[in-house]
Amino acid sequence: MGRALLDDGTVRVNDFGQTSVPGVYAAGDMARRESIPIPLAQITFAVSSGQLAAGMIDQELLMVDLPDLPSPFRPAQQES
Ligand SMILES: Cc1cc2nc3c(=O)[nH]c(=O)nc-3n(C[C@H](O)[C@H](O)[C@H](O)COP(=O)(O)OP(=O)(O)OC[C@H]3O[C@@H](n4cnc5c(N)ncnc54)[C@H](O)[C@@H]3O)c2cc1C
């Protein structure tokens, strides 16, 4: 899908699990933030990063359906 990868082959994500491809998220062992120097490879990290990505996806879809709805946060943009 043309996602940006880090040197260890994991998919580069931002703090919200967003990949370099708009609308595509990654979590768990396959994904890593650059600020975390090593793959964490822990069940709790996989669960929490998946939950965070799920929350962002939910928010992103909500903004599509209800673009005028006041929101405490807008989906962050992945830096290129
Ligand atoms: C031997 C071992 C012991 C471990 N012990 C611990 C422990 O004690 N505590 C702990 O916290 N963590 C432990 N871990 C790490 C933990 O298992 C992982 O961090 C966690 O399972 C990651 O979850 P995940 O959902 O990201 O990936 P996974 O659990 O690897 O799930 C990915 C799933 O995607 C499937 N898949 C892959 N490619 C495709 C494809 N192309 N199409 C469809 N499906 C695909 C795979 O079959 C797999 O079911 C251990 C890992 C190993 C290998």
Side-chain angles (χ1 to χ4, degrees), residues 21 24 37 44 63 66 68:
V21 179
V24 177
T44 49
M63 290 298 100
L66 303 168
D68 298 327

Side-chain angles (χ1 to χ4, degrees), residues 27-30 41-44 46:
D29 282 4
M30 69 170 292
Q42 297 286 320
I43 292 170
T44 49

Side-chain angles (χ1 to χ4, degrees), residues 21-58:
V21 179
V24 177
Y25 291 72
D29 282 4
M30 69 170 292
R32 186 164 68 81
R33 303 177 212 163
E34 281 183 293
S35 58
I36 300 176
I38 55 169
L40 292 180
Q42 297 286 320
I43 292 170
T44 49
F45 176 73
V47 170
S48 64
S49 62
Q51 176 62 55
L52 181 61
M56 291 303 298
I57 292 167
D58 187 50

Side-chain angles (χ1 to χ4, degrees), residues 56-71:
M56 291 303 298
I57 292 167
D58 187 50
Q59 180 72 18
E60 193 173 305
L61 293 173
L62 189 65
M63 290 298 100
V64 170
D65 288 343
L66 303 168
D68 298 327
L69 187 72
S71 172

